Amino acid sequence: MRDVLDEIAAWYAAGETFGLATVVGTFRSAPRPAGASMAVSPSGEVVGSVSGGCVEGAVYELAQSVMETGRPVVQRYGVSDDDAFAVGLTCGGILDVLVEPVGPAAFPEFGEVAEAIAARRPVAVATVVAGPGTLGARRIVWPGRAAGTLAPGAPYAARLDAAVDDDARGMLAQGLTGTRHYGRAGERRLDELSVFVHSFAPPPRLLVFGAIDFAAAVARVGKFLGYHVTVCDARPVFATPKRFPEADEVVVRWPHKYLDGTEVDERTAICVLTHDPRFDVPLLEVALRTRAGYVGAMGSRRTHDDRMARLREAGLTEAELARLRSPIGLDLGARTPEETAVSIAAEMIQLRWGGTGRPLSGTEGRIHGETNIETLAETRGGVRGGPRPGVPGAEGGAG
């Protein structure tokens, strides 16, 4: 929804009721992830995408129907047949799409939700997408309060709402979007009721230490991937906003002191590009004891060996050291700062989603593995004390 927020917020402010289509379920090689959105205005204007062009025409027609009836619909789009004009996904994936009317009467809390998203304040929207109860019933969940109900008029509404509130806040804290299953009264051991939780968490943070040309390239690719980028260096002559225009902030402080006072969560990525023991050893002492999902350090093999020896002398355990991605990046043969930034970003993505890092032409099976939101936190690494088992460190590196 972030991609279409400006347009639909303007429609809502004008008192219009528009059709909002949201991907609420994906299977196999679906082209867009859960949460991807497309909106259709009463005048027929379209913003956003749910499939990259495969089924947008059919969704457009469905959105117009939903605006007329005022009733939400969940529609599944699967593999297209041999007819080139058939509605389906040529990639072989399957999408479940919720199409609902949104306007001041149909969604009175939307203005507050849009305001929170625009201000980067955490909020989650939980919506019934299948099972008993009212399709499209929704509950808005903030860290400290909630509004709406998932079971209007039902005697068990409070129990269901409370169960979803707990799960939604947990998903919001990790930046997860996906479907949870419950009994009609919120029983977690049952799966008759499906609730889609769309999380709008602040963007994940990318902390880049070392104000060098490689850092400028990493800041650019990090911003492209949706991170809130901070560049930090103790040398004011190098750490300037002019040298790092893509960074959200440039900080002049000793790196380890800055990191020690900075909030770090499981979605945070830390890139140590200083490759100077005065900076990176005390910095990595702090970094490897945080909850950061990714900690990488630049340097040659010799630098890496020396760094590891110094970190052991500083008292870091083998489990803590195992979290370090060093030399940083995947082995892509990178040479330039820009190529190196791509190799670092590739490793961050690989660790986040549990990919192999191998060429797709040399693999078999699904391109996009099934994502289970109950275990996604572990696949991102660092959430439970270390990287996900089975995801190897880089053999080459960008240093």
mmCIF file of all heavy atoms in Angstrom, residues 60-84:
data_model
loop_
_atom_site.group_PDB
_atom_site.id
_atom_site.type_symbol
_atom_site.label_atom_id
_atom_site.label_comp_id
_atom_site.label_asym_id
_atom_site.label_seq_id
_atom_site.Cartn_x
_atom_site.Cartn_y
_atom_site.Cartn_z
ATOM 1 N N TYR A 60 -9.298 -5.242 -12.200
ATOM 2 C CA TYR A 60 -9.946 -3.948 -12.463
ATOM 3 C C TYR A 60 -11.461 -4.112 -12.558
ATOM 4 O O TYR A 60 -12.228 -3.357 -11.951
ATOM 5 C CB TYR A 60 -9.389 -3.371 -13.760
ATOM 6 C CG TYR A 60 -10.050 -2.093 -14.222
ATOM 7 C CD1 TYR A 60 -9.642 -0.864 -13.706
ATOM 8 C CD2 TYR A 60 -11.063 -2.110 -15.172
ATOM 9 C CE1 TYR A 60 -10.253 0.317 -14.130
ATOM 10 C CE2 TYR A 60 -11.671 -0.951 -15.596
ATOM 11 C CZ TYR A 60 -11.262 0.271 -15.074
ATOM 12 O OH TYR A 60 -11.870 1.434 -15.491
ATOM 13 N N GLU A 61 -11.905 -5.112 -13.319
ATOM 14 C CA GLU A 61 -13.345 -5.356 -13.457
ATOM 15 C C GLU A 61 -13.959 -5.737 -12.107
ATOM 16 O O GLU A 61 -15.057 -5.280 -11.753
ATOM 17 C CB GLU A 61 -13.584 -6.478 -14.471
ATOM 18 C CG GLU A 61 -13.084 -6.183 -15.875
ATOM 19 C CD GLU A 61 -13.870 -5.055 -16.541
ATOM 20 O OE1 GLU A 61 -15.037 -4.822 -16.129
ATOM 21 O OE2 GLU A 61 -13.320 -4.416 -17.456
ATOM 22 N N LEU A 62 -13.252 -6.555 -11.341
ATOM 23 C CA LEU A 62 -13.771 -6.978 -10.045
ATOM 24 C C LEU A 62 -13.852 -5.790 -9.086
ATOM 25 O O LEU A 62 -14.808 -5.675 -8.309
ATOM 26 C CB LEU A 62 -12.871 -8.071 -9.468
ATOM 27 C CG LEU A 62 -13.331 -8.728 -8.169
ATOM 28 C CD1 LEU A 62 -14.744 -9.298 -8.317
ATOM 29 C CD2 LEU A 62 -12.357 -9.817 -7.746
ATOM 30 N N ALA A 63 -12.880 -4.910 -9.135
ATOM 31 C CA ALA A 63 -12.891 -3.733 -8.262
ATOM 32 C C ALA A 63 -14.084 -2.834 -8.576
ATOM 33 O O ALA A 63 -14.719 -2.278 -7.666
ATOM 34 C CB ALA A 63 -11.590 -2.958 -8.413
ATOM 35 N N GLN A 64 -14.403 -2.693 -9.846
ATOM 36 C CA GLN A 64 -15.572 -1.882 -10.207
ATOM 37 C C GLN A 64 -16.853 -2.514 -9.672
ATOM 38 O O GLN A 64 -17.748 -1.812 -9.189
ATOM 39 C CB GLN A 64 -15.642 -1.720 -11.726
ATOM 40 C CG GLN A 64 -14.548 -0.814 -12.284
ATOM 41 C CD GLN A 64 -14.749 -0.515 -13.750
ATOM 42 O OE1 GLN A 64 -15.103 -1.406 -14.529
ATOM 43 N NE2 GLN A 64 -14.539 0.731 -14.141
ATOM 44 N N SER A 65 -16.938 -3.840 -9.744
ATOM 45 C CA SER A 65 -18.110 -4.534 -9.215
ATOM 46 C C SER A 65 -18.209 -4.358 -7.704
ATOM 47 O O SER A 65 -19.297 -4.129 -7.161
ATOM 48 C CB SER A 65 -18.032 -6.029 -9.565
ATOM 49 O OG SER A 65 -19.057 -6.755 -8.938
ATOM 50 N N VAL A 66 -17.075 -4.450 -7.015
ATOM 51 C CA VAL A 66 -17.063 -4.299 -5.563
ATOM 52 C C VAL A 66 -17.489 -2.886 -5.166
ATOM 53 O O VAL A 66 -18.204 -2.702 -4.168
ATOM 54 C CB VAL A 66 -15.659 -4.639 -5.013
ATOM 55 C CG1 VAL A 66 -15.493 -4.123 -3.592
ATOM 56 C CG2 VAL A 66 -15.430 -6.139 -5.066
ATOM 57 N N MET A 67 -17.072 -1.885 -5.921
ATOM 58 C CA MET A 67 -17.494 -0.516 -5.624
ATOM 59 C C MET A 67 -19.005 -0.364 -5.763
ATOM 60 O O MET A 67 -19.639 0.389 -5.027
ATOM 61 C CB MET A 67 -16.768 0.473 -6.534
ATOM 62 C CG MET A 67 -15.321 0.746 -6.133
ATOM 63 S SD MET A 67 -14.575 2.094 -7.082
ATOM 64 C CE MET A 67 -14.243 1.282 -8.654
ATOM 65 N N GLU A 68 -19.598 -1.096 -6.696
ATOM 66 C CA GLU A 68 -21.046 -1.022 -6.901
ATOM 67 C C GLU A 68 -21.812 -1.747 -5.798
ATOM 68 O O GLU A 68 -22.810 -1.240 -5.285
ATOM 69 C CB GLU A 68 -21.413 -1.630 -8.259
ATOM 70 C CG GLU A 68 -20.940 -0.821 -9.451
ATOM 71 C CD GLU A 68 -21.299 -1.489 -10.768
ATOM 72 O OE1 GLU A 68 -21.994 -2.536 -10.725
ATOM 73 O OE2 GLU A 68 -20.886 -0.989 -11.825
ATOM 74 N N THR A 69 -21.340 -2.926 -5.418
ATOM 75 C CA THR A 69 -22.069 -3.738 -4.440
ATOM 76 C C THR A 69 -21.728 -3.380 -2.998
ATOM 77 O O THR A 69 -22.536 -3.620 -2.088
ATOM 78 C CB THR A 69 -21.777 -5.228 -4.649
ATOM 79 O OG1 THR A 69 -20.386 -5.481 -4.376
ATOM 80 C CG2 THR A 69 -22.087 -5.656 -6.077
ATOM 81 N N GLY A 70 -20.520 -2.856 -2.786
ATOM 82 C CA GLY A 70 -20.080 -2.564 -1.427
ATOM 83 C C GLY A 70 -19.670 -3.799 -0.648
ATOM 84 O O GLY A 70 -19.439 -3.716 0.567
ATOM 85 N N ARG A 71 -19.542 -4.940 -1.327
ATOM 86 C CA ARG A 71 -19.187 -6.193 -0.644
ATOM 87 C C ARG A 71 -17.807 -6.669 -1.086
ATOM 88 O O ARG A 71 -17.544 -6.780 -2.296
ATOM 89 C CB ARG A 71 -20.222 -7.286 -0.943
ATOM 90 C CG ARG A 71 -21.601 -7.006 -0.355
ATOM 91 C CD ARG A 71 -22.474 -8.247 -0.427
ATOM 92 N NE ARG A 71 -22.732 -8.646 -1.803
ATOM 93 C CZ ARG A 71 -23.749 -8.194 -2.538
ATOM 94 N NH1 ARG A 71 -24.591 -7.308 -2.029
ATOM 95 N NH2 ARG A 71 -23.916 -8.613 -3.769
ATOM 96 N N PRO A 72 -16.919 -6.979 -0.135
ATOM 97 C CA PRO A 72 -15.578 -7.452 -0.483
ATOM 98 C C PRO A 72 -15.620 -8.855 -1.082
ATOM 99 O O PRO A 72 -16.552 -9.634 -0.832
ATOM 100 C CB PRO A 72 -14.835 -7.440 0.845
ATOM 101 C CG PRO A 72 -15.914 -7.592 1.872
ATOM 102 C CD PRO A 72 -17.121 -6.899 1.316
ATOM 103 N N VAL A 73 -14.602 -9.178 -1.861
ATOM 104 C CA VAL A 73 -14.494 -10.472 -2.530
ATOM 105 C C VAL A 73 -13.043 -10.944 -2.448
ATOM 106 O O VAL A 73 -12.117 -10.132 -2.558
ATOM 107 C CB VAL A 73 -14.912 -10.373 -4.016
ATOM 108 C CG1 VAL A 73 -14.675 -11.700 -4.735
ATOM 109 C CG2 VAL A 73 -16.357 -9.946 -4.147
ATOM 110 N N VAL A 74 -12.845 -12.247 -2.239
ATOM 111 C CA VAL A 74 -11.521 -12.845 -2.371
ATOM 112 C C VAL A 74 -11.531 -13.717 -3.614
ATOM 113 O O VAL A 74 -12.364 -14.623 -3.750
ATOM 114 C CB VAL A 74 -11.133 -13.680 -1.139
ATOM 115 C CG1 VAL A 74 -9.816 -14.415 -1.393
ATOM 116 C CG2 VAL A 74 -11.003 -12.794 0.092
ATOM 117 N N GLN A 75 -10.625 -13.444 -4.543
ATOM 118 C CA GLN A 75 -10.579 -14.160 -5.813
ATOM 119 C C GLN A 75 -9.216 -14.808 -5.988
ATOM 120 O O GLN A 75 -8.180 -14.181 -5.709
ATOM 121 C CB GLN A 75 -10.829 -13.192 -6.972
ATOM 122 C CG GLN A 75 -10.798 -13.831 -8.349
ATOM 123 C CD GLN A 75 -11.938 -14.813 -8.551
ATOM 124 O OE1 GLN A 75 -13.092 -14.475 -8.309
ATOM 125 N NE2 GLN A 75 -11.626 -16.015 -8.982
ATOM 126 N N ARG A 76 -9.211 -16.052 -6.423
ATOM 127 C CA ARG A 76 -7.948 -16.759 -6.693
ATOM 128 C C ARG A 76 -7.652 -16.715 -8.188
ATOM 129 O O ARG A 76 -8.510 -16.987 -9.029
ATOM 130 C CB ARG A 76 -8.018 -18.203 -6.210
ATOM 131 C CG ARG A 76 -6.799 -19.051 -6.612
ATOM 132 C CD ARG A 76 -6.699 -20.329 -5.815
ATOM 133 N NE ARG A 76 -6.358 -20.045 -4.424
ATOM 134 C CZ ARG A 76 -6.092 -20.999 -3.526
ATOM 135 N NH1 ARG A 76 -6.145 -22.279 -3.869
ATOM 136 N NH2 ARG A 76 -5.783 -20.665 -2.283
ATOM 137 N N TYR A 77 -6.400 -16.390 -8.504
ATOM 138 C CA TYR A 77 -5.930 -16.390 -9.886
ATOM 139 C C TYR A 77 -4.792 -17.388 -9.990
ATOM 140 O O TYR A 77 -3.787 -17.294 -9.270
ATOM 141 C CB TYR A 77 -5.446 -14.996 -10.296
ATOM 142 C CG TYR A 77 -6.546 -13.961 -10.248
ATOM 143 C CD1 TYR A 77 -6.701 -13.145 -9.133
ATOM 144 C CD2 TYR A 77 -7.435 -13.818 -11.305
ATOM 145 C CE1 TYR A 77 -7.711 -12.204 -9.074
ATOM 146 C CE2 TYR A 77 -8.450 -12.882 -11.257
ATOM 147 C CZ TYR A 77 -8.593 -12.076 -10.142
ATOM 148 O OH TYR A 77 -9.605 -11.151 -10.088
ATOM 149 N N GLY A 78 -4.946 -18.352 -10.907
ATOM 150 C CA GLY A 78 -3.958 -19.408 -11.029
ATOM 151 C C GLY A 78 -3.280 -19.417 -12.366
ATOM 152 O O GLY A 78 -3.175 -18.394 -13.053
ATOM 153 N N VAL A 79 -2.820 -20.595 -12.774
ATOM 154 C CA VAL A 79 -2.062 -20.746 -14.013
ATOM 155 C C VAL A 79 -2.969 -20.518 -15.207
ATOM 156 O O VAL A 79 -4.083 -21.035 -15.277
ATOM 157 C CB VAL A 79 -1.447 -22.156 -14.086
ATOM 158 C CG1 VAL A 79 -0.607 -22.307 -15.343
ATOM 159 C CG2 VAL A 79 -0.622 -22.437 -12.849
ATOM 160 N N SER A 80 -2.490 -19.724 -16.166
ATOM 161 C CA SER A 80 -3.271 -19.491 -17.381
ATOM 162 C C SER A 80 -3.209 -20.720 -18.284
ATOM 163 O O SER A 80 -2.268 -21.503 -18.239
ATOM 164 C CB SER A 80 -2.739 -18.273 -18.127
ATOM 165 O OG SER A 80 -1.396 -18.473 -18.502
ATOM 166 N N ASP A 81 -4.227 -20.852 -19.134
ATOM 167 C CA ASP A 81 -4.231 -21.994 -20.049
ATOM 168 C C ASP A 81 -3.559 -21.603 -21.363
ATOM 169 O O ASP A 81 -2.874 -20.594 -21.455
ATOM 170 C CB ASP A 81 -5.661 -22.513 -20.266
ATOM 171 C CG ASP A 81 -6.589 -21.426 -20.809
ATOM 172 O OD1 ASP A 81 -6.079 -20.488 -21.452
ATOM 173 O OD2 ASP A 81 -7.809 -21.539 -20.605
ATOM 174 N N ASP A 82 -3.769 -22.389 -22.396
ATOM 175 C CA ASP A 82 -3.088 -22.133 -23.657
ATOM 176 C C ASP A 82 -3.616 -20.905 -24.374
ATOM 177 O O ASP A 82 -2.977 -20.394 -25.298
ATOM 178 C CB ASP A 82 -3.225 -23.351 -24.588
ATOM 179 C CG ASP A 82 -2.475 -24.558 -24.037
ATOM 180 O OD1 ASP A 82 -1.500 -24.334 -23.290
ATOM 181 O OD2 ASP A 82 -2.865 -25.682 -24.351
ATOM 182 N N ASP A 83 -4.796 -20.423 -24.012
ATOM 183 C CA ASP A 83 -5.351 -19.229 -24.618
ATOM 184 C C ASP A 83 -4.583 -18.012 -24.113
ATOM 185 O O ASP A 83 -4.544 -17.733 -22.931
ATOM 186 C CB ASP A 83 -6.833 -19.105 -24.235
ATOM 187 C CG ASP A 83 -7.492 -17.877 -24.855
ATOM 188 O OD1 ASP A 83 -6.773 -17.087 -25.505
ATOM 189 O OD2 ASP A 83 -8.708 -17.728 -24.675
ATOM 190 N N ALA A 84 -3.963 -17.288 -25.011
ATOM 191 C CA ALA A 84 -3.131 -16.155 -24.603
ATOM 192 C C ALA A 84 -3.932 -15.082 -23.892
ATOM 193 O O ALA A 84 -3.370 -14.255 -23.181
ATOM 194 C CB ALA A 84 -2.445 -15.547 -25.831
#
